[in-house]
Amino acid sequence: MTESIGAPPPAPKKAGAGTKVVLGLLGALGVGGVVYLGVLEAQRARLVPDGTSAPSMEMARHGGGTLKLEDLKGQVVMLDFWATWCPPCREEMPALVKLAKEYEPQGLVFVAASRDDGDRAPRLVEAFMRNHLPDLAPYVVYADDNVARAFQVSALPTLYFLDREGKVMDAQRGALSEDGIRRRIERALKQP
């Protein structure tokens, strides 16, 4: 086939329908990602701000006794608000217990603050531990509505890290991966 001199160049190929769909999906994912990050930031903004002294609270320990957060000064506290009925809490808890045991020798204290319902909470937590996670027992306390309000807990799980002076240094609403929790623990333990 020969081209004639002076003939216009061939027109560029137009993007097919499949390409347009892919580009549209990529654009939608990009917008969705920005919205998601905005929602996460808005949720974080509704938690106790970093640098704020943790509220002075006393919580009943599972098995008896009480725990006062101010008694934990000098250690890094990983304070997790959870409940036995919360699927993301149940999924995240084994990683929290595993990492708590791993980092305890470096000064980490794990507090698993149950938000299960009132008088039934000890029975519910006991059944959860017996059936799923016996190693959780030494970490469990019961956080009543006053404790939850003081820490602005409106969804579960909600995880706080308190520095060695008892100040909030990080907070997260929603479950984290084991790697995400590990990074936060290591960052918290590096603080003076």
Side-chain angles (χ1 to χ4, degrees):
M1 178 191 249
T2 61
E3 289 185 30
S4 59
I5 299 179
K13 290 186 178 181
K14 291 188 177 183
T19 303
K20 288 180 182 177
V21 168
V22 169
L23 290 174
L25 286 173
L26 287 173
L29 285 172
V31 169
V34 169
V35 168
Y36 176 73
L37 291 174
V39 168
L40 286 179
E41 185 58 32
Q43 286 181 336
R44 173 63 180 105
R46 290 192 301 257
L47 294 171
V48 176
D50 292 354
T52 303
S53 290
S56 176
M57 294 293 185
E58 186 173 314
M59 295 174 274
R61 286 184 177 274
H62 181 76
T66 59
L67 172 76
K68 293 180 183 178
L69 288 178
E70 59 264 21
D71 291 344
L72 301 177
K73 284 189 179 174
Q75 301 172 84
V76 170
V77 177
M78 179 170 65
L79 173 61
D80 182 56
F81 291 90
W82 71 291
T84 60
W85 49 261
C86 164
C89 301
R90 294 167 63 109
E91 290 171 20
E92 181 183 57
M93 192 57 73
L96 290 168
V97 170
K98 173 187 171 192
L99 294 170
K101 287 180 173 188
E102 182 179 333
Y103 287 98
E104 281 173 350
Q106 296 175 42
L108 179 73
V109 175
F110 176 40
V111 179
S114 171
R115 291 288 297 137
D116 283 286
D117 298 325
D119 294 340
R120 295 179 14 183
R123 288 190 312 275
L124 294 169
V125 169
E126 186 65 39
F128 173 77
M129 290 186 303
R130 184 177 51 254
N131 295 325
H132 303 287
L133 195 59
D135 291 345
L136 177 62
Y139 307 111
V140 175
V141 297
Y142 298 99
D144 63 19
D145 291 342
N146 292 328
V147 174
R149 254 191 309 280
F151 280 95
Q152 300 175 8
V153 175
S154 61
L156 298 176
T158 297
L159 181 65
Y160 277 92
F161 285 91
L162 309 178
D163 68 14
R164 296 176 198 282
E165 295 177 13
K167 293 182 180 176
V168 174
M169 62 176 304
D170 194 5
Q172 169 74 34
R173 187 171 283 132
L176 289 168
S177 68
E178 184 175 327
D179 287 340
I181 299 165
R182 182 181 301 279
R183 282 192 302 274
R184 283 173 168 80
I185 290 171
E186 290 178 355
R187 186 171 56 233
L189 288 170
K190 288 179 184 172
Q191 298 292 319

